[in-house]
Amino acid sequence: SYGNITHNLIEGEDNQSASSDTHEVEQNTEMRVKNVLREEHGDIKVGKKWRGDDELNRPSEITFQLYRVKNGDESTKELYKSSDGHSVFTLNAENWNKIFTHLLRRSGKDTYSYIVQEVSVPEGYVDTYSIEETAGNGMNIFITNTKYGNVDLQKKWEKADGSALTT
């Protein structure tokens, strides 16, 4: 008969093998070892911040995409798709936040983080992004749109004493 053996991993121990050979032990009893790949999940909250504008003049919604990044290497980024196949998400004036639940954060030795990209930055705004790690393998990602405006400049030629320069 076969029994179950449980071994909890401790920090620094490898857990990369997905299978194991059968080994003979005392009195010709067989022991089977099944290694389970450790996975950790967390919730990712995407939020919107506005700077340098007033609520009445900003867009009523924005769209963004979420990407999963493996081991901090953005060249490995994968577009996230929801269970119903959507890959573009909306934040609007009703709620400038969206929570993605139970997203993969670790699988074996690989760690996963997430980044966002606003699909179409509203005209007159510059977009920046910030990330905060939170408890329970979670993340807060913020899209900040800062309003920029035109600056009128006038060049005035004067002497060092402030009097008009004549030619």
Side-chain angles (χ1 to χ4, degrees):
S1 77
Y2 295 104
N4 291 326
I5 297 174
T6 302
H7 173 71
N8 293 325
L9 293 176
I10 52 178
E11 190 65 36
E13 211 172 299
D14 281 347
N15 186 25
Q16 294 298 300
S17 178
S19 63
S20 174
D21 295 331
T22 300
H23 299 280
E24 285 189 30
V25 293
E26 251 179 80
Q27 300 175 346
N28 295 327
T29 304
E30 286 188 359
M31 175 176 65
R32 291 182 185 229
V33 177
K34 179 181 177 185
N35 289 332
V36 178
L37 196 59
R38 182 180 80 175
E39 288 190 348
E40 296 175 8
H41 296 84
D43 295 346
I44 309 300
K45 176 185 171 188
V46 178
K48 183 67 175 171
K49 295 180 181 180
W50 297 93
R51 292 212 170 105
D53 69 349
D54 61 72
E55 211 172 311
L56 298 174
N57 293 318
R58 70 177 57 137
S60 60
E61 68 178 33
I62 61 105
T63 54
F64 70 95
Q65 292 181 303
L66 180 68
Y67 295 89
R68 182 171 73 180
V69 176
K70 182 178 180 181
N71 297 323
D73 181 2
E74 287 194 25
S75 70
T76 68
K77 74 180 183 182
E78 298 175 85
L79 181 62
Y80 171 81
K81 290 187 179 181
S82 64
S83 59
D84 56 2
H86 291 100
S87 62
V88 176
F89 304 95
T90 302
L91 298 177
N92 60 49
E94 294 290 319
N95 186 5
W96 291 113
N97 297 291
K98 178 164 183 60
I99 298 175
F100 297 87
T101 59
H102 200 68
L103 297 186
L104 184 64
R105 294 301 312 273
R106 176 183 298 276
S107 180
K109 288 186 177 182
D110 295 321
T111 58
Y112 296 92
S113 59
Y114 292 82
I115 59 174
V116 296
Q117 181 68 50
E118 194 166 353
V119 173
S120 181
V121 178
E123 187 175 337
Y125 289 87
V126 174
D127 59 329
T128 56
Y129 304 89
S130 59
I131 297 174
E132 301 170 350
E133 296 287 334
T134 62
N137 294 316
M139 290 177 76
N140 291 333
I141 304 174
F142 295 100
I143 304 168
T144 302
N145 282 54
T146 304
K147 181 80 170 160
Y148 64 87
N150 295 328
V151 177
D152 292 326
L153 296 176
Q154 180 181 22
K155 188 170 188 175
K156 189 174 182 182
W157 293 91
E158 296 178 337
K159 295 181 183 177
D161 63 5
S163 62
L165 183 67
T166 56
T167 56

